[in-house]
Amino acid sequence: MLKSKTFVKKTRSGGVLKIVREHYLRDDIWCGSEVCKECKDEAPVLQEDACIESNLCSYPHYLIPDTNVVLHQIDILEDPLIRNIIILQTVLQEVRHRSATVYKRIKDAIHDKEKHFYTFTNEHHRETFIEREQGESANDRNDRAIRVAAKWYADHLAKATDNGPLKVVLLTNDRANKEKAEHHGLIVYRCEEYIKSLIGNPELVDRLALTPDDQNEITGSKLLFPEHLPLSRIQTGIKNGMFLQGTFHANRDNYLEGTVFIHREGAVTNEVLLQGFQNLNRAVHQDVVAVELFPKERWVAPSSVVLQDDNPDDEDAEEDETETENKLKSVASESSALKPTGRVVGIIKRNWRPFCGMLSQSQIKEATRHLFTPADRRIPRIRIETRQAATLVGQRIMVAIDGWPKNSRYPNGHFVKNLGTAGDKETETEVLLLEHDVPHQPFSQAVLSFLPKMPWSISEEELKVRADLRHLFVCSVDPPGCTDIDDALHCRELENGNLEVGVHIADVSHFIRPGNALDQEAASRGTTVYLCGKRIDMVPELLSSNLCSLRSNVERLAFSCIWEMNNNAEIIKTHFTKSIINSKASLTYAEAQMRIDDTTMNDDITKSLRGLNKLAKILKGRRIDKGALTLSSPEVRFHIDSETHDPIDLQTKELMETNSMVEEFMLLANISVAQKIYDEFSECALLRKHPSPPPSNYDILIKAAKSRDLEIHTDSAKALADSLNNAAIERFPYFNTLLRILATRCMMQAVYFCSGMDNDFHHYGLASPIYTHFTSPIRRYSDIIVHRLLAVAMNADSTYPDLMDKHKQSALCSNLNYRHKMAQYAQRASVAFHTQLFFKNRGIINEEGFILFVRKNAIIILIPKFGLEGTVFFENKDKPSPHLTFDTEGPTLKVEEHTFHMFDKVKVTISLDASNIQHQRIRMALIEPVIPGVSVPVPESEPEAKKPKLDR
Amino acid sequence: MAGLELLSDQGYRLDGRKAPELRKLQARMSVFAQADGSAYLEQGNTKALAVVYGPHETRGSRSKSLHDRAVINCQYSMATFSTAERKRRPHGDRKSSEMSLHLKQTFEAAVLTELYPRSQIDIYVKILQADGGNYSACVNAATLALVDAGIPMRDYVCACTAGFVEDTALADLCHAEESGGGTSLALALLPRSGNIALLQMDARLHQDHLNALMEAAMTACKGLSKVLDGVVRQHLEEVSVLTSE
Ligand SMILES: [Zn+2]
């Protein structure tokens, strides 16, 4: 089948390497069309009846987009309406090099059978391959390759259909390319032209990204910003120290201010303050930029002014700008601590993503250009063009930035999609997932194709190689309603009087093989995200809730960690094995607790639970003796109405003995596995560490305790644990909990890391020298990697290069850490949103709380009943502020005649402030202590607080 | 920058081959008149030269000779200009001596050494250009050179590599595929009997995958043997035409 070959020489810049590769051309690459009889394609992708109603093309046609169309208009291509597209290999390769995200999206579209996207391997086709000509740039060659392939298709289809109606249409926005293609007799349209010709799809037009040509039309000619330097000059500038490279962070409260965090390690200045429109020079939050430092005499302190960009109409706003900036500077120069300042000279890499937010309709009635206000305050407003403004008002929408020309006050963008009515539960959940970068799209066909075929059963081969533990009395203990059961346990007495304890973990790595689309998706998601009343799975449901879930009375594959222990919970032997189990019961914590406590029950499961419980207590005691911390943070659970899905009650989670029983064995398994994989792979074990916090973190904790005449020692985890245990005040039982909550806030974040890239393995909170995550592979990707490592160590599975590559693993760890952090934020945001919903219809509630922190102009209050934190401000915009004196030593705040200390008991009213629909929040106002002019009277509608209980 | 995509979703490899397809193989025999046998072989961009001397009396110390069969002496080397990065390649570095040893083992399994007791057969192979599958190219070239020298063998020895990418076995890897990660193995086969002369794999592989990979390599070797056979027959025709004239 190999017809001929040519050599393609590729020279890689940077070295003098000349890479010579073979390039085979074939004549067995088919066109992929149903109508073609010439090609021997068994499953043609492109339909015969390829009809989209269009003013321009009245005939059935296939579209061939060029690279830039795919890169910029992927939003359009993903629309279900757009089908029968030929993606050329040349285009696909260029996209792959230029944008990983678009590449993934286009691949998903290709895998989607409904879309009828066909990939034509034109670079290896005998008739469509072309060689680069002398003096031709790589881009020009690729454009020509696209034209040649399009021409081939046109001729081939004409021949195949005897000059039938079917045609190919090339989409390109490149003028020169279009002209050349027309010269060759091809049908060519600009993407805009074509999309606008489609009948009955006004929404699609809004989703078009603006091309540089259009952008010039929109904006005025007046230059507002200095020009950005070209990349080459930026690079020289960075090399010779003229410029600094860093990531731009916009200030949340002041749109005319931002900070650039310099990348270079050990740099003299690692933060540069940017102030003013010109100096920010179109940098958007998270962009990588080059900055030039100003001389020392222009350095200032950051202003503490709150400035929000809320000019009603953009066209008039420009004159006010200088005025605002002057105000900013005068305020800034008053302070003492000076910071280096500078200006943005160029953008190295934009980090634009689609932003969620709301449309502010233009005041001109027929206008099609409107301003969009993102939910994230750090993102500037974006100008978009849409004809459906009237329907979009009051909706949450998504907008992508296309560019920011130097003569435009705002960046230009395009409408991507409508997320739904603002304030709606589904809409707001969608928004918070998008804003926290939580991947939550349904799994693509490519991902699903790697799932096991149903009906599934354990194969003969698996039975042969696995330990058969189906006879053991294994059971699982989880929160109520748990469908993704990661772990199950058993305990039985051995003949020698010792105990055998087994922790059985779902064998997810059996189903998710390294490197395939399913694996890549799980690795990218990193974790399952639990929101109030919603779960965003890391792996498809068939695995998470069925095949991997260790449900009772079904046979499941497991990865077991089995210890032989004596009655003093000392490990005599540890053994890991892949196994088959059959759980005898899926219990809730409460059910398990009941069995343990009920002396009349003596079945095998209960006996097993009692054994586990006994050992767990010893293990826990020993761990706490070593200095493990038991910290608390108020966790709130919502009782959600089963029909309306509205929260009807909130409750702080209660902990039972069985909670800590399960936890204890999970910790033990994690530690045992961590040691094993580190012994086996010292360079590439995936571990988890919890660094000890710098001593200064504890200042606030020590001060707070001191104010109550107590002493907290923070020299070691052990000392801290001990002094927390001893810190108690009579008639103030909640005091200890408050201290522990405060201690939690002093802690560092625990992180994943690769053992070959770090020296410090210590887990501070657990007081363990080594730790990892092994026990929740259904919902954490880290555990899948740990399973794979352990399986290789036991010769139960094969290794693969990325598993043994410490750099790749380190990169994976940073993604996992990022996803875990974002998942946590999303979870908090979800709780906050549901709290708002809860308070929405309850008017004003008054409640008792404690002061958690004292700030310069406010106190932060914790309401134990709701696990809710809120701020009482003592400064108001509309009325004169009370007399405030702040003492950092206490810390205390004196308001008029009353002094607030940390942990003081107060009474507040709680209500929902919905004045800004994008930023609703819980508002608290002081009732007790009574401070004239500051506190508010007790609301009359007090009985409302009890209302939720009556509802049920 | 994204790395290389070794196998596209459409099933094409970097150079346009499908998974089981071999690279183009071209070879010439009797390229040196002085040697007893010689051959030049191109497997894609990998180019190898093999020269055979012998059988002759063992040189050097007598102790090396064997009373019941011939000793096979192999020497492998790489030309300085054979790779993209030009570097000095001292003789007898670890990699070449290992390769020499492997070649020796391969041909001890194939050559009817018992026909030449107390003698020696020298095989010299040089890689002129390296683009993956150096070992296989050497074996294939040496086979042709041995045939050219008229040394009796049980069968052609055909060698080929195979590698694993995304659960698909690829035959006859080029350099980019070899260095792209994943496990690869090299197999030298006596195609008619199906006996394995040498099998080498450096990285770990799960045994489930071994059969698929072996199968791919075996099929590739059998395909190669047909090509080699063609080369030999054509060479014979040319020679017989010459001699008949
Ligand atoms: Zn065709």
Side-chain angles (χ1 to χ4, degrees), chain A residues 1-5 7 12 16-26 28-30 89 92-93 96-97 103 107 110-111 119-121 124 450 513-516 680-681 792-793 795-799 801 804, chain B residues 1-10 12-18 21-26 42-47 83-86 129 131 166-167 174 176 180-183 203-209:
Chain A
M1 298 266 218
L2 302 178
K3 270 294 167 191
S4 65
K5 70 173 186 182
F7 290 113
R12 285 191 183 163
V16 272
L17 288 190
K18 185 190 226 170
I19 290 176
V20 182
R21 280 207 205 118
E22 276 188 300
H23 194 94
Y24 290 92
L25 300 182
R26 334 177 48 106
D28 61 347
I29 295 173
W30 315 130
Q89 184 195 9
L92 202 59
Q93 279 172 353
R96 186 166 182 269
H97 282 294
Y103 181 67
K107 285 247 288 198
I110 292 169
H111 282 291
T119 317
F120 181 62
T121 311
H124 290 289
F450 288 98
R513 304 307 302 164
N516 67 26
E680 200 80 15
F681 307 104
V792 173
N795 283 324
D797 206 342
S798 56
T799 173
M804 298 294 144
Chain B
M1 266 272 256
L4 293 168
E5 189 183 44
L6 294 182
L7 188 66
S8 77
D9 289 347
Q10 289 69 45
Y12 296 108
R13 294 156 65 175
L14 281 177
D15 50 13
R17 286 183 290 156
K18 289 196 168 173
E21 289 172 350
L22 302 174
R23 290 180 286 180
K24 190 177 171 110
L25 190 134
Q26 284 175 309
E42 288 181 12
Q43 214 168 336
N45 275 336
T46 301
K47 298 177 184 174
T83 53
E85 216 175 336
R86 277 179 287 277
Q129 185 172 305
D131 185 27
E166 286 160 33
D167 285 357
C174 70
T183 310
R204 286 211 247 182
L205 180 79
H206 195 251
Q207 64 178 32
D208 288 2
H209 296 157

Side-chain angles (χ1 to χ4, degrees), chain A residues 503-515:
Chain A
V503 166
H504 312 277
I505 306 297
D507 192 3
V508 182
S509 68
H510 171 83
F511 294 99
I512 301 186
R513 304 307 302 164

Side-chain angles (χ1 to χ4, degrees), chain B residues 221-236:
Chain B
C221 288
K222 283 175 187 156
L224 266 173
S225 81
K226 289 205 189 83
V227 183
L228 291 187
D229 194 52
V231 170
V232 172
R233 276 172 207 283
Q234 201 196 341
H235 177 70
L236 277 179

Side-chain angles (χ1 to χ4, degrees), chain A residues 31 36 39 156:
Chain A
C31 68
C36 182
C39 295
H156 181 82

